[in-house]
Amino acid sequence: MTRKVWIVSHYAMPPHLEMRVKTLRFAQYLQDVGYDVLLITASTIHNTDINLIQDKSLYIEKEYDGLKFVHIKCNQYNGSRIKRIINLYQFQYNFCKVMKNFDKPEVILADCNCINYSGIYKFASKNNIPFISEIRDLWPLSIVEYLHFRNNNPIIRYLYSREKKMYKVSNAIIFSMEGGKDYLINKGWDKSINLNKVFNINNGIDINQVKQSEIDNVLEDKELLDDKFKIIYTGSIRQVNDIGKILDVAKEVKSRGLDDIRFIIYGDGDQKDELQKRVIDEKIDNAVFKGFVQKKYIPYICSKANVNIINVVPSILTQYGASWNKLFDYMAARKPILSTLKVKYDLIDRYDCGISTQDQSVSTIANAIEELYNMPKDKYQQMCDNAWKGAECYDFKTLTAKLQEVIEYAIINDKK
């Protein structure tokens, strides 16, 4: 059945700029089965100084690779938290002004948070359109955890009240993390929010694209081809990733005489320069920073690892699971995964495709690396095969089929 769907995603980007592809893959595969999809995004490109609207236009319409976009004018925020919050409010305000000019959809799927959902929901309610909220990060819990606000802070209490209302008014709720229902129950909100409308759709991977990208996008880097046992990290180099811990582990591994192991770090962030200086000052010659690389090179890079590593600062958020984009990149690389953080609903354990350490001590992580380094070939190969099986379960075609079920649920139950 053909459905007209709006996917509203403040941070979604044109394909040539996008690093997080979930929204684009959903749109693509919904279109492939007959849905009429329109992507509605901000004109600002997150973590860059790019603004797609440079004049006084309130919006622009674009088409990229067969995907139809509406970019809504928002002001640049360039790292300012206050300006970023203003940007979020501006998007929902301008959304209402812009989208009244378009033919209405049968459903709105909004990748939103407690700050910027209300204008989008009010538009949906006014026009009798079912509203699905997709939750990729738990706000304001993330703010409490990472910015060290107290739960009884008046601003945080206000944001929690908005979050609760967002869940109540949604016709369906999609959590990226598997423990979304656990979160609602722990908050005591299950008494006023119907848990039957709560679904889980993880982040994922495009299997066919990964295979082709490994062939088409080869990164010329001699260290990817040498005989060293390569521990590879790809992603942001910020406080939450604690890449300094990986350097500590590199020193410990070397102190054990494991000179054949090299740590290769791809990515950028506000801690990169400081950590690169550590490498020089402390003569950590078994670790190297490679800097930013385009997303298209990630499949090739990860496929050349002996082990791909995830390192994240512990937080209470992980009691609800984790759906890191890089986890699925790593699974599709068909190599074992080392996670230094044990989470609930752990997919690495579920698919037996690597090791999740019980704690983040340097010695424990080094022990895990040593275990993988000395692992019998047959067991190592089984982990590689298991990683690929896990990736197949999270192929975007499979996940989009789940999304279709949620869309139909929201439309059917809206009419009751």
Side-chain angles (χ1 to χ4, degrees):
M1 179 184 299
T2 299
R3 297 286 194 192
K4 186 177 180 64
V5 178
W6 286 358
I7 299 180
V8 185
S9 180
H10 186 283
Y11 296 114
M13 306 175 190
H16 62 285
L17 296 171
E18 186 63 273
M19 294 294 288
R20 302 163 301 173
V21 300
K22 183 178 183 181
T23 301
L24 302 190
R25 292 295 173 267
F26 276 169
Q28 174 192 334
Y29 287 122
L30 283 175
Q31 284 191 172
D32 287 350
V33 294
Y35 284 69
D36 180 4
V37 181
L38 182 64
L39 286 152
I40 303 154
T41 79
S43 64
T44 45
I45 303 299
H46 187 49
N47 284 335
T48 77
D49 58 1
I50 298 172
N51 195 321
L52 299 174
I53 300 179
Q54 295 295 325
D55 56 22
K56 294 183 179 180
S57 301
L58 190 57
Y59 70 96
I60 56 173
E61 296 180 67
K62 293 283 186 178
E63 185 168 319
Y64 313 93
D65 300 341
L67 298 177
K68 295 177 290 184
F69 277 73
V70 173
H71 299 294
I72 296 176
K73 178 66 176 288
C74 293
N75 293 336
Q76 211 70 31
Y77 48 92
N78 296 324
S80 166
R81 288 174 183 163
I82 298 299
K83 288 182 178 179
R84 184 178 175 186
I85 291 172
I86 292 171
N87 176 285
L88 289 168
Y89 276 107
Q90 187 180 29
F91 176 74
Q92 65 167 336
Y93 177 74
N94 286 341
F95 173 91
C96 296
K97 293 198 292 184
V98 169
M99 300 317 296
K100 66 182 180 182
N101 301 314
F102 288 77
D103 292 336
K104 305 302 181 287
E106 292 176 74
V107 66
I108 292 176
L109 168 64
D111 167 14
C112 53
N113 58 51
C114 59
I115 293 178
N116 70 341
Y117 85 91
S118 60
I120 303 162
Y121 166 71
K122 287 176 182 176
F123 179 92
S125 179
K126 180 180 178 181
N127 291 280
N128 297 312
I129 303 168
F131 175 79
I132 302 171
S133 56
E134 185 188 1
I135 312 303
R136 303 191 184 188
D137 295 296
L138 292 173
W139 281 46
L141 184 57
S142 297
I143 303 173
V144 172
E145 185 67 11
Y146 292 122
L147 298 183
H148 308 297
F149 281 77
R150 294 181 181 276
N151 276 314
N152 61 359
N153 180 294
I155 296 174
I156 298 300
R157 291 172 63 185
Y158 168 69
L159 292 178
Y160 274 129
S161 70
R162 287 178 62 88
E163 180 191 22
K164 181 180 179 181
K165 184 175 181 181
M166 176 177 65
Y167 298 144
K168 288 180 68 173
V169 301
S170 298
N171 295 91
I173 308 163
I174 301 171
F175 284 98
S176 289
M177 63 291 302
E178 200 165 334
K181 288 185 180 181
D182 298 343
Y183 174 71
L184 298 180
I185 292 169
N186 288 347
K187 295 293 292 182
W189 294 345
D190 55 309
K191 298 176 178 62
S192 56
I193 297 168
N194 179 9
L195 295 184
N196 290 328
K197 68 178 183 179
V198 178
F199 300 86
N200 163 239
I201 303 179
N202 288 59
N203 290 317
I205 195 75
D206 192 314
I207 294 292
N208 291 331
Q209 186 185 57
V210 165
K211 289 180 179 178
Q212 193 60 45
S213 186
E214 283 185 26
I215 299 170
D216 294 342
N217 299 296
V218 173
L219 183 68
E220 298 297 333
D221 187 335
K222 62 182 182 181
E223 286 179 302
L224 290 175
L225 302 176
D226 64 24
D227 294 330
K228 296 285 188 180
F229 189 88
K230 293 176 280 293
I231 311 290
I232 291 181
Y233 171 87
T234 61
S236 297
I237 304 175
R238 304 181 188 279
Q239 179 181 355
V240 68
N241 309 107
D242 192 17
I243 304 305
K245 177 66 67 66
I246 293 179
L247 299 186
D248 295 336
V249 173
K251 293 171 68 175
E252 172 66 17
V253 165
K254 187 176 181 181
S255 75
R256 298 184 183 190
L258 300 171
D259 297 328
D260 195 33
I261 298 176
R262 180 182 294 275
F263 295 78
I264 307 177
I265 301 165
Y266 289 89
D268 203 355
D270 56 15
Q271 292 194 333
K272 188 187 74 171
D273 292 344
E274 171 190 339
L275 294 173
Q276 281 184 308
K277 187 174 185 300
R278 265 196 68 189
V279 167
I280 296 169
D281 293 346
E282 299 175 29
K283 297 181 173 57
I284 311 174
D285 58 6
N286 60 340
V288 59
F289 285 85
K290 294 291 187 175
F292 172 80
V293 291
Q294 295 180 50
K295 176 72 173 178
K296 66 181 182 180
Y297 293 115
I298 297 300
Y300 176 81
I301 290 170
C302 294
S303 73
K304 296 303 177 184
N306 295 94
V307 174
N308 288 297
I309 188 169
I310 295 172
N311 191 69
V312 182
V313 173
S315 79
I316 62 174
L317 294 163
T318 56
Q319 69 180 295
Y320 304 114
S323 191
W324 304 301
N325 284 307
K326 65 168 60 67
L327 173 59
F328 303 100
D329 290 331
Y330 290 176
M331 281 182 168
R334 305 176 298 284
K335 295 295 172 66
I337 303 162
L338 171 59
S339 173
T340 66
L341 183 63
K342 191 78 170 177
V343 302
K344 194 172 181 181
Y345 306 106
D346 193 311
L347 298 185
I348 296 172
D349 282 353
R350 183 178 300 171
Y351 292 98
D352 190 20
C353 59
I355 296 174
S356 295
T357 60
Q358 293 294 335
D359 64 68
Q360 288 197 310
S361 69
V362 170
S363 61
T364 298
I365 299 169
N367 289 343
I369 289 172
E370 195 166 355
E371 179 182 344
L372 290 162
Y373 178 75
N374 292 315
M375 186 171 285
K377 288 184 178 180
D378 58 342
K379 185 176 180 181
Y380 178 89
Q381 186 58 51
Q382 186 62 59
M383 280 192 172
C384 295
D385 295 342
N386 291 346
W388 182 249
K389 290 176 183 177
E392 288 180 318
C393 292
Y394 294 93
D395 181 38
F396 277 119
K397 284 187 178 179
T398 301
L399 298 182
T400 304
K402 289 186 176 182
L403 178 59
Q404 288 177 253
E405 294 174 3
V406 178
I407 289 172
E408 295 307 313
Y409 172 91
I411 291 173
I412 292 169
N413 284 275
D414 184 60
K415 294 176 181 177
K416 289 184 177 179

